Amino acid sequence: MSSDIRLTPTSYIVLGMLRAAGESTPYDLKRGVAASLGNFWSLQHAQLYSEPERLAAAGYVTERREEGGRRRKHYEITDMGRRALAEWLKETTDELPELRDRALLKIFFGADPAALAPRQLEAHRAKLEEYEQIVELGGEHLPKGVRITLDAGIASETEWVKFWSRLAG
């Protein structure tokens, strides 16, 4: 095992999800990401199948294959993985978020904002409602980090609703 691999944001996603959920299959990781951080961080699902193998080869996670049946692989974070994740969490960052918005791209190239606005407004209102329901259901039981990222999502969606409302006229 060699720990001299370069850890990427995907590496830390896998380590963080394994730390939170315990032993998981890549499919479990995919479902967990889709239901949580997939709301603010996009990644290809295939990465959640290949990255755990790479981390296992380097000693950041362990790999256990089922004996029979589908012979699924199960991964669990190691002490080395926990230390790497803890060190990464201490690092500060000045990176700004990347914005990939198809509607804004269309407007940039000349699409009618008023024509795009109703569907965008509907989509952003629905996402805002979804975030608010999660907060309402989870309340004080949500982990601090989850609550803070939900607050950011609510603030962002609130602004998008205002923006698209103005364009809708």
Side-chain angles (χ1 to χ4, degrees):
M1 273 188 254
S2 170
S3 64
D4 58 349
I5 64 169
R6 182 176 164 271
L7 297 180
T8 66
T10 302
S11 306
Y12 295 114
I13 288 169
V14 169
L15 293 172
M17 294 299 288
L18 289 173
R19 184 187 70 177
E23 186 180 73
S24 302
T25 65
Y27 181 73
D28 296 332
L29 293 172
K30 184 181 92 163
R31 283 188 17 228
V33 165
S36 61
L37 62 92
N39 286 300
F40 62 87
W41 190 271
S42 63
L43 71 154
Q44 295 174 348
H45 295 305
Q47 292 176 296
L48 295 173
Y49 286 84
S50 60
E51 188 63 16
E53 284 185 20
R54 192 174 84 89
L55 293 172
Y60 292 98
V61 303
T62 59
E63 178 182 306
R64 178 182 64 81
R65 186 180 281 272
E66 292 177 350
E67 294 292 323
R70 298 178 61 201
R71 296 185 40 84
R72 290 177 294 204
K73 294 179 180 178
H74 294 256
Y75 296 95
E76 192 165 8
I77 191 169
T78 63
D79 287 341
M80 186 170 98
R82 282 186 197 3
R83 284 191 302 274
L85 181 61
E87 287 301 312
W88 178 73
L89 291 173
K90 291 178 190 174
E91 295 174 9
T92 60
T93 183
D94 61 356
E95 286 184 35
L96 294 173
E98 294 180 26
L99 180 61
R100 292 175 52 102
D101 188 309
R102 193 170 302 211
L104 290 180
L105 184 63
K106 289 181 176 203
I107 291 170
F108 181 87
F109 286 113
D112 178 10
L116 291 168
R119 289 194 62 199
Q120 285 296 305
L121 186 54
E122 180 183 330
H124 286 285
R125 281 182 175 150
K127 184 54 83 172
L128 176 59
E129 185 177 315
E130 177 186 331
Y131 289 159
E132 289 172 338
Q133 285 177 349
I134 293 169
V135 169
E136 187 177 313
L137 293 173
E140 62 206 39
H141 302 294
L142 292 171
K144 182 180 178 183
V146 171
R147 179 55 200 250
I148 290 170
T149 55
L150 277 168
D151 288 346
I154 288 169
S156 176
E157 292 303 328
T158 298
E159 289 305 312
W160 281 117
V161 166
K162 289 177 190 175
F163 174 81
W164 289 108
S165 292
R166 285 194 306 272
L167 290 181

